Amino acid sequence: AVLAGFLILRLRSVLGRRTGHEKPPERKRVERREAPDNDNVIALSDRAVVAENDAEAEALNEAKPPADPLSVELIGIQRADQDFAPDHFVEGARTAFTMIVKAFALGDLDTLKPLLSGALYSDFAGAVKSRDDAGLHLDTAVSRIVSAEIVAAAMHGTEAEVTVAFESEQIKVTRDGDGTVVDGDPDRAETIYDVWTFRRDTRANDPNWQLIGTATPEADDA
């Protein structure tokens, strides 16, 4: 859990970026019609509905389904950052996940340093140092990513935050200096759950997202 908690995600050029080949989102055409001169007009998607009285107007408003809170937050991020696209963010996250798991196993701190918040980098570097000081070597291979899903999003001033839940199957083996397995099974994949939160200042010229928080659901629930 400690090792999984400090994995990081490289976001440059792979997350939240449009390629320029996407089809523009479909927009429903709204038909505008003249309505009687009263206050009981309810606009519904592609048509206008005229209520006979205040009670009917209230009923129509209550019948409209509530907006999905996550969708509302993602729309807010898209308004602040026109390059942000949730589908591409997740697609890039899945690709980058495998790459970064490998980088953590190798202890490549130079590559990973700019991608973490200061506090997380300190923890990450400390975990790698402890492993090296103990003469241990970590071999990790992602067998497959079962799922990757945006589960939360928010705007805090000009800063956007997106949280992604990952479920993956990994073979994680720790060996000592002699190559003896001290943890893990080289013939069995583990199912691992990670929840990562990323942040980016939408006003900044730097397109990178930075990992600011990690969690392991199973550990939190225990």
Side-chain angles (χ1 to χ4, degrees), residues 65-82:
D68 172 30
L70 177 58
S71 296
V72 172
E73 295 293 349
L74 290 174
I75 289 172
I77 294 176
Q78 288 175 308
R79 288 174 176 169
D81 179 1
Q82 295 182 355

Side-chain angles (χ1 to χ4, degrees), residues 151-166:
V151 295
M155 285 293 300
H156 300 287
T158 63
E159 294 187 336
E161 291 186 6
V162 179
T163 300
V164 181
F166 296 93

Side-chain angles (χ1 to χ4, degrees), residues 5-26:
F6 299 132
L7 294 180
I8 59 87
L9 183 60
R10 182 174 185 173
L11 301 172
R12 184 171 187 173
S13 303
V14 292
L15 293 186
R17 304 299 301 276
R18 297 182 184 273
T19 64
H21 299 290
E22 300 86 353
K23 294 182 179 179
E26 295 183 0

Side-chain angles (χ1 to χ4, degrees), residues 9 11 15 70-71 73-74 77 84 86 89-90 93 147-156 159-167 193-200 209-217 220:
L9 183 60
L11 301 172
L15 293 186
L70 177 58
S71 296
E73 295 293 349
L74 290 174
I77 294 176
F84 178 80
F89 188 99
V90 173
S147 64
E149 178 184 6
I150 295 176
V151 295
M155 285 293 300
H156 300 287
E159 294 187 336
E161 291 186 6
V162 179
T163 300
V164 181
F166 296 93
E167 178 183 351
Y193 301 91
D194 290 291
V195 179
W196 295 348
T197 299
F198 309 99
R199 179 175 60 198
R200 177 178 178 271
W209 289 74
Q210 190 174 58
L211 181 64
I212 65 168
T214 64
T216 304
D220 291 345

